[in-house]
Amino acid sequence: MPELPEVETIRRDLEKEFQGKRIKTVDVTGLRSIRRHTNKKQFTARLEGKKLESVSRRGKNLLLDLGDDLLVVHLGMSGQLLKAAPKDAAIKHTHVVFHFSPGGQLRYVDARTFGELYVVSKERMAEECPELGELGFDPIEDVQSWQDFGTKLVRRQAQLKSVLMDQKFVAGIGNIYSDEILWEAGLRYDRPSHTLSIQEVRRLYRAMSEVLQEAIKQRGSSLADETYRDLYGVIGNFQSHHNVHARDGQPCKRCRHAIGKAKYQGRSTYYCPSCQV
């Protein structure tokens, strides 16, 4: 699933390519992708003719500002937003196509259809999309001291990986970046959050920011299936900088011990049994 760095990369691409342009028409072929709307017309009528004012992000959600309304996009497991020209060949699993003026298309492609697009009123966001209001702090956008972060962390009294992946605590981190952040901080995935020393809290807070910022700089991570692609259809590059994720059996880049793999909450977790404590 695309996490904060991948979604932020796409947000910046959308801002560059489509901000200020107007949606001329919208074609919908996959109703599951707009499942919060009762029919195609209810979805397209709130989009056609609207100007894209700005593009923001909340956690793993993209928010396209259309004036009175917001188009919310969650990419799910395999969703892609791809810039295209009308003459470009059709892409399999394309469910929604936005035709912009001046010319150009934005295509929503999703093989597994876990992602979704929906339109909400800015004035009624709390009612129409309560989950966005329940998201925790944004580790890139929301400035806070490491002391404030530590206070929140200690109160959770849960294992560190679980805390980092809890979207109501911190928004946007998933399986990949929780592994990378915890390796950078030298902390085990199952370490109870309330047992961290002051130095360890500071290390974790710094690691969270540094790992995510570097991943954004590298335009995200594309794993073996290369499902994640940016707006131009290009894979990310941060996977070549992973220190632990999907590197089980390989030597740790810090201590040379073999990277371990464990099952945690139904997902594969990667860590160094030697230098993460």
Side-chain angles (χ1 to χ4, degrees):
M1 178 183 289
E3 301 179 31
L4 187 154
E6 291 76 44
V7 178
E8 178 62 20
T9 298
I10 295 170
R11 186 201 71 77
R12 296 180 184 187
D13 290 348
L14 287 169
E15 189 174 64
K16 175 184 175 182
E17 296 290 346
F18 292 103
Q19 185 168 302
K21 294 185 178 182
R22 198 171 296 276
I23 301 173
K24 189 176 180 181
T25 57
V26 181
D27 298 328
V28 179
T29 54
L31 292 176
R32 178 168 160 75
S33 296
I34 60 163
R35 51 189 173 272
R36 298 202 193 196
H37 297 272
T38 55
N39 54 56
K40 295 180 186 179
K41 188 65 178 176
Q42 188 192 66
F43 178 73
T44 60
R46 296 179 69 177
L47 297 170
E48 292 177 344
K50 300 289 184 68
K51 181 181 178 182
L52 179 55
E53 303 286 352
S54 63
V55 186
S56 58
R57 177 187 54 76
R58 290 195 187 175
K60 302 174 188 177
N61 300 274
L62 289 163
L63 278 62
L64 282 65
D65 188 334
L66 303 171
D68 294 333
D69 291 334
L70 291 171
L71 170 62
V72 182
V73 181
H74 190 285
L75 298 173
M77 297 293 291
S78 59
Q80 300 172 339
L81 285 173
L82 301 173
K83 182 178 183 288
K87 60 179 176 57
D88 290 346
I91 302 173
K92 192 177 181 181
H93 305 301
T94 298
H95 304 297
V96 183
V97 179
F98 301 89
H99 302 267
F100 280 84
S101 178
Q105 292 181 353
L106 177 62
R107 299 177 180 179
Y108 177 70
V109 180
D110 191 353
R112 300 181 68 182
T113 67
F114 289 122
E116 62 173 333
L117 298 81
Y118 56 96
V119 185
V120 297
S121 166
K122 287 181 181 177
E123 292 184 353
R124 300 186 60 196
M125 270 193 68
E127 304 166 42
E128 297 180 355
C129 191
E131 61 266 39
L132 290 182
E134 295 172 356
L135 292 173
F137 73 90
D138 189 289
I140 297 299
E141 299 294 335
D142 296 335
V143 178
Q144 65 179 320
S145 67
W146 68 265
Q147 292 97 331
D148 289 342
F149 168 72
T151 299
K152 296 173 185 175
L153 185 71
V154 170
R155 285 176 182 164
R156 302 297 292 189
Q157 297 196 8
Q159 294 177 331
L160 287 177
K161 180 155 185 171
S162 176
V163 173
L164 290 180
M165 291 180 60
D166 181 353
Q167 300 305 298
K168 292 183 179 181
F169 176 73
V170 53
I173 297 173
N175 200 42
I176 295 172
Y177 294 102
S178 57
D179 283 351
E180 293 299 311
I181 290 166
L182 290 170
W183 182 88
E184 187 68 29
L187 299 168
R188 278 182 62 97
Y189 65 95
D190 53 359
R191 176 83 176 270
S193 63
H194 62 282
T195 67
L196 269 61
S197 67
I198 291 174
Q199 291 78 11
E200 288 172 328
V201 169
R202 294 180 70 174
R203 284 209 315 263
L204 179 58
Y205 184 63
R206 184 172 63 248
M208 185 170 58
S209 175
E210 290 178 353
V211 167
L212 295 174
Q213 293 284 10
E214 182 60 26
I216 293 169
K217 182 180 176 182
Q218 298 293 334
R219 300 186 63 79
S221 298
S222 296
L223 301 184
D225 60 4
E226 297 188 350
T227 298
Y228 163 69
R229 292 175 180 268
D230 66 18
L231 194 68
Y232 311 103
V234 179
I235 64 172
N237 188 53
F238 191 64
Q239 66 277 5
S240 61
H241 299 269
H242 285 179
N243 289 305
V244 281
H245 192 81
R247 294 191 66 245
D248 50 308
Q250 298 180 49
C252 173
K253 296 180 183 179
R254 184 162 51 212
C255 74
R256 311 308 294 171
H257 191 284
I259 296 297
K261 179 180 179 181
K263 209 72 173 175
Y264 183 75
Q265 296 183 347
R267 304 186 187 196
S268 294
T269 292
Y270 302 89
Y271 68 106
C272 178
S274 176
C275 65
Q276 287 180 249
V277 298

